[in-house]
Amino acid sequence: MTQQKKTIPSMVKDPKLIEKRREQIIEAAVGLFISKGFHKTTTREISRASGFSIGTLYEYIESKEDVLYLVCDAIHHEVEAGLEAVLVETKNGADKLRAAINGFFHVMDKLQDRVLLIYQEIKSLPREAMRYVMAKEEQITSIFEEILSCGMEDGSLRIQESAVKLMAHNIVVLGEMWAFRRWSLKKYYSLEHYIDIQTSLILRELTTD
């Protein structure tokens, strides 16, 4: 079942102003959560870094957990947008997969600290918000499932239907590994080299009998 997006109440009625202010809050909170951690960061520090008073902050959110939820949702939105952008002009399933791997891994590099933040702090979210964030993770994985199924149908990829979901998860984990283990991997590989090697290994598995 698709998880419903959490509605965060606001005292402000202008949707554009809400979006603008929440973007400021997200950017300020991300830096603080990464440097200090979620629990050690105060809402007063978030308001100060956002450029407005604590009273103004509470016109747009109700709690610090709301801020973390907004951060997680914004990160997933950017990941999905990055994937969709690279799939526009691809032809068959194999081409889509190459483009998606390249796009996803680049997004993981761009958002590496934020991706790590989600996995470190997701447990701090209320249960329903956590379920929504986890469902968004599944949604990203499902994009790769659809690409793999497309490749099966057009004959450009060879994979048993029962293995599609597992392979999709494998690809997502390989992309996230660049974020989680960058401290070690960057000693030996550039991002492009890492993408080339992983893409080659994945496609070799999916294009040979």
Side-chain angles (χ1 to χ4, degrees):
M1 181 182 293
T2 301
Q3 291 291 322
Q4 294 296 316
K5 184 171 182 177
K6 178 183 177 182
T7 300
I8 298 175
S10 172
M11 296 170 63
V12 178
K13 302 304 181 185
D14 184 345
K16 290 185 178 180
L17 184 57
I18 292 172
E19 182 179 2
K20 179 181 177 180
R21 291 288 185 253
R22 285 183 173 172
E23 285 176 358
Q24 290 176 259
I25 292 169
I26 289 168
E27 288 304 309
V30 163
L32 289 166
F33 291 164
I34 289 172
S35 63
K36 298 187 63 174
F38 173 76
H39 291 290
K40 290 184 179 180
T41 299
T42 67
T43 51
R44 190 168 296 280
E45 287 173 323
I46 295 172
S47 69
R48 190 182 305 122
S50 301
F52 37 75
S53 70
I54 187 72
T56 300
L57 179 75
Y58 280 114
E59 290 180 359
Y60 298 94
I61 54 99
E62 291 188 321
S63 67
K64 191 169 65 169
E65 286 74 20
D66 284 349
V67 179
L68 178 59
Y69 173 82
L70 289 171
V71 168
C72 292
D73 196 45
I75 293 168
H76 282 126
H77 177 75
E78 192 162 354
V79 171
E80 290 180 35
L83 270 174
E84 291 170 1
V86 301
L87 295 176
V88 175
E89 297 182 0
T90 52
K91 298 179 181 178
N92 60 31
D95 289 338
K96 286 181 183 293
L97 186 59
R98 289 188 186 92
I101 291 171
N102 185 70
F104 181 65
F105 284 27
H106 272 95
V107 172
M108 289 297 99
D109 180 63
K110 177 184 176 183
L111 302 179
Q112 53 189 250
D113 288 329
R114 300 185 180 205
V115 171
L116 187 58
L117 174 65
I118 288 181
Y119 282 92
Q120 287 175 330
E121 304 294 0
I122 188 175
K123 61 185 179 295
S124 300
L125 287 171
R127 186 183 300 274
E128 288 304 312
M130 185 189 301
R131 286 177 178 170
Y132 173 77
V133 172
M134 293 173 71
K136 294 295 285 185
E137 287 281 313
E138 292 281 354
Q139 189 172 326
I140 291 167
T141 305
S142 72
I143 294 174
F144 284 99
E145 289 184 49
E146 292 173 8
I147 294 169
L148 291 166
S149 295
C150 175
M152 287 174 58
E153 292 175 4
D154 65 29
S156 61
L157 298 174
R158 298 182 179 89
I159 182 172
Q160 294 182 359
E161 188 171 350
S162 60
V164 168
K165 184 176 292 292
L166 181 58
M167 178 58 78
H169 278 279
N170 284 344
I171 294 168
V172 171
V173 170
L174 288 173
E176 292 173 342
M177 185 168 74
W178 181 256
F180 297 153
R181 297 190 61 83
R182 62 189 184 277
W183 56 271
S184 177
L185 292 170
K186 285 186 176 181
K187 298 176 186 176
Y188 311 101
Y189 308 99
S190 67
L191 174 61
E192 298 304 329
H193 190 196
Y194 179 79
I195 293 173
D196 287 345
I197 293 173
Q198 296 290 18
T199 303
S200 177
L201 291 172
I202 293 166
L203 268 296
R204 187 183 305 165
E205 178 69 23
L206 295 172
T207 56
T208 56
D209 294 326

